[in-house]
Amino acid sequence: MRILDLILGRTRLTLTETERAIVLRKGKFSDILTAGEHVLPRRKVEIRTHDLGTPRFQSPYLDALIRTRPDLVAEHLMVVETGADEVKIVNRNGRAHEVITPDHRAVYWTDAGEWSVETVSLAETHEVEAGLAGRLMRSGLTKALTSVEVVEGKVGILSVDGVVTRELAPGTYWSWMLGRKHMVKLVDTRWQTHEVTGQELLTADRVTLRVNLTADYRVTDPMVAVKAVKDYAEALHLAVQLAFRKTLGALTLDALLADKVAVSDEAAAKVWTEMAAIGIEVGEIALKDVILPGEMREILNRVVTAEKEAEANVIRRREETNATRSLLNTAKVM
């Protein structure tokens, strides 16, 4: 047989079930060979063998093959092409095999498995439904995806290309990273305490001191809070600061130190109204610490010392008076 093939100028090619071969005769596509033994001319024939273990067809002859022999392509290959606003999920044997991004083409051997293709439109949204995201994640095909997790107690504000679109409840969200920029800002909706520290104030009797303030608050309308101001926490900071400046500026140092000072009703009402307009509910606003300058602390210490000494003198004289009265009573009895 070999001698006869040699005389006749032939060659034999045997392909297994997992192999395919492209045959070019005189530089032109002749055939695509499947499993079995094939007899081919020895001269002016080029054979390119492909392993179906790599189901995607990749060849420098791909474009020419599609253009000149569409019949061979239709019989042996599956061509998947995507438009500018779509993604295609290629499934092999019931499992997600590859994600074809916009404006791309992929070609697969039809004999390499049972194929199906799903089309996902990106014209309206780049968000990925949870079921599809789960399938792609299990198959390790999340390269073109991005995700964000919104935990309990928080709300996510989704922005697409810089435009705020909607709120996200707690959960995990996936989107395509294909031509659009997705950002999620997490907003804590639980009660929180905001501190305003190291604020210098001037009391009614012109004493300069530093105070630390606190305010309890929570975000009631995350969408408004994010869109109305650049930073709602900074807006609260300024509102509380101004409210206490107005309250403490009307008090003397003695009045301030005599009792725990809360912000006045008028100033508090203004803070509540301003914050409600940007989706913030404010609770208690209170003075946490009062820090006096060094000289003022020394003066107050001397005042306190003098007061205590005066009290001690009064008590000492009272005791001396009582002792003298006791002696007088004893003398009268005697």
Side-chain angles (χ1 to χ4, degrees), residues 34-47:
T34 59
E37 186 179 61
H38 305 274
V39 179
L40 302 169
R42 185 182 298 275
R43 298 180 60 190
K44 298 181 180 180
V45 173
E46 184 179 351
I47 301 172

Side-chain angles (χ1 to χ4, degrees), residues 193-233:
T193 299
H194 181 78
E195 295 192 357
V196 182
T197 59
Q199 298 300 306
E200 291 193 355
L201 301 173
L202 186 65
T203 62
D205 49 355
R206 298 184 179 280
V207 176
T208 301
L209 48 80
R210 287 189 297 126
V211 297
N212 296 331
L213 318 171
T214 63
D216 296 331
Y217 77 99
R218 68 186 180 98
V219 180
T220 55
D221 193 332
M223 187 70 76
V224 173
V226 170
K227 296 176 69 174
V229 292
K230 180 179 179 180
D231 188 338
Y232 58 81

Side-chain angles (χ1 to χ4, degrees), residues 94-164:
R95 297 189 61 183
H97 176 73
E98 189 171 355
V99 176
I100 311 302
T101 54
D103 292 326
H104 281 79
R105 178 179 66 191
V107 180
Y108 303 90
W109 290 102
T110 54
D111 292 337
E114 295 182 4
W115 300 97
S116 64
V117 179
E118 301 175 45
T119 302
V120 179
S121 175
L122 304 180
E124 298 297 330
T125 178
H126 275 48
E127 295 181 38
V128 183
E129 62 180 29
L132 177 57
R135 287 178 49 213
L136 296 179
M137 185 167 56
R138 288 190 295 272
S139 299
L141 301 175
T142 58
K143 184 178 180 180
L145 299 179
T146 182
S147 67
V148 63
E149 182 180 4
V150 181
V151 299
E152 287 291 341
K154 294 186 179 182
V155 171
I157 305 299
L158 175 64
S159 300
V160 180
D161 293 337
V163 179
V164 177

Side-chain angles (χ1 to χ4, degrees), residues 123-329:
E124 298 297 330
T125 178
H126 275 48
E127 295 181 38
V128 183
E129 62 180 29
L132 177 57
R135 287 178 49 213
L136 296 179
M137 185 167 56
R138 288 190 295 272
S139 299
L141 301 175
T142 58
K143 184 178 180 180
L145 299 179
T146 182
S147 67
V148 63
E149 182 180 4
V150 181
V151 299
E152 287 291 341
K154 294 186 179 182
V155 171
I157 305 299
L158 175 64
S159 300
V160 180
D161 293 337
V163 179
V164 177
T165 58
R166 68 185 184 94
E167 293 184 12
L168 303 179
T172 301
Y173 299 86
W174 294 82
S175 57
W176 297 104
M177 294 190 301
L178 302 171
R180 290 187 181 179
K181 186 176 182 180
H182 294 73
M183 294 186 63
V184 176
K185 181 174 182 178
L186 298 179
V187 179
D188 198 326
T189 57
R190 297 167 294 187
W191 279 102
Q192 303 176 69
T193 299
H194 181 78
E195 295 192 357
V196 182
T197 59
Q199 298 300 306
E200 291 193 355
L201 301 173
L202 186 65
T203 62
D205 49 355
R206 298 184 179 280
V207 176
T208 301
L209 48 80
R210 287 189 297 126
V211 297
N212 296 331
L213 318 171
T214 63
D216 296 331
Y217 77 99
R218 68 186 180 98
V219 180
T220 55
D221 193 332
M223 187 70 76
V224 173
V226 170
K227 296 176 69 174
V229 292
K230 180 179 179 180
D231 188 338
Y232 58 81
E234 181 64 23
L236 175 64
H237 183 97
L238 294 176
V240 172
Q241 185 184 53
L242 293 175
F244 259 101
R245 283 185 181 276
K246 182 176 181 180
T247 299
L248 299 182
L251 298 175
T252 64
L253 178 60
D254 291 339
L256 192 153
L257 296 176
D259 192 10
K260 183 179 179 181
V261 177
V263 69
S264 67
D265 293 340
E266 180 183 354
K270 185 177 181 181
V271 172
W272 293 333
T273 301
E274 290 179 357
M275 294 298 100
I278 62 172
I280 306 295
E281 179 185 353
V282 180
E284 182 183 4
I285 306 173
L287 177 64
K288 184 179 179 182
D289 300 307
V290 177
I291 305 171
L292 298 173
E295 294 180 358
M296 184 57 64
R297 285 200 301 271
E298 292 179 3
I299 294 172
L300 287 179
N301 287 335
R302 290 200 296 269
V303 170
V304 172
T305 300
E307 290 177 350
K308 295 303 180 182
E309 287 179 353
E311 291 178 4
N313 288 332
V314 170
I315 294 172
R316 186 165 52 250
R317 288 183 174 82
R318 185 184 302 122
E319 294 299 323
E320 290 175 354
T321 301
N322 291 337
T324 303
R325 185 179 294 112
S326 178
L327 290 173
L328 177 60
N329 291 336

